Amino acid sequence: MITSKSSYLRLNDHFFLLLYVIKTMTRTSHNCEEPSSMRKKGRRSSSMPVIMTTFEQQYRQYLSIFDGEKKDGQAAIRAREIFNAIYHGNVQSTEYGGYPINRSQIEHLHKIHLSLGSKITLIHFREEGLQAMDVKFQVVNKQENTIVHNILTLEDNKIIKVQTREDYDEEMLDFLLQLA
């Protein structure tokens, strides 16, 4: 029970401070890279609590299956289960050169990556709105070393649409030119 106006104001200030902290943590929790200022000082970002949506947890879990080891048998079954959990039945993608591919084609492509022993490294995962995610990752195997940048649209907490960002080729070129 609040007995005075000053007690009420202090309680109200604490409430708004808590909201600010939660909002700040939610905004910064989706970056996969450690800020350079934290690396230089020897501190780790793991001390910050990370708030992830259920979809993000499932998506990260799915990408972690692609760890550079060839997969078959039980691992392939587990990958299919997670694939079914994160991809909508009517998913459409414009992943390859703007040509639409459907769910079974996406699943087949992922099976190929599992059999090649592809390693997928998440570069970033950012919320772009209530039902859109900006995802960038690197795919490495014997045949390719590619950076993929997609916008994922969600429906019922599953991917319904995958759009390839056209600028990822330019970003990769800029990165390589900086190294030269």
Side-chain angles (χ1 to χ4, degrees), residues 20-85:
Y20 173 77
V21 169
I22 290 171
K23 193 176 212 179
T24 304
M25 287 180 357
T26 304
R27 260 193 235 133
T28 60
S29 69
H30 302 295
N31 253 343
C32 300
E33 302 163 9
E34 217 172 65
S36 59
S37 62
M38 295 182 90
R39 282 192 300 263
K40 289 176 187 173
K41 295 177 183 173
R43 295 182 305 207
R44 298 194 56 97
S45 62
S46 60
S47 62
M48 277 286 277
V50 176
I51 301 169
M52 285 189 265
T53 63
T54 303
F55 171 77
E56 183 179 357
Q57 290 171 351
Q58 290 175 327
Y59 191 79
R60 286 176 183 268
Q61 183 180 15
Y62 183 66
L63 292 183
S64 72
I65 292 171
F66 298 88
D67 60 1
E69 300 292 323
K70 292 182 180 183
K71 301 284 191 281
D72 56 2
Q74 285 298 103
I77 292 170
R78 180 70 182 135
R80 183 182 170 102
E81 289 172 358
I82 300 173
F83 179 90
N84 290 334

Side-chain angles (χ1 to χ4, degrees), residues 155-169:
E155 182 179 291
D156 299 328
N157 217 24
K158 292 185 176 190
I159 301 169
I160 187 75
K161 186 175 183 182
V162 179
Q163 294 174 286
T164 301
R165 289 280 307 260
E166 297 299 326
D167 63 339
Y168 81 88
D169 289 328

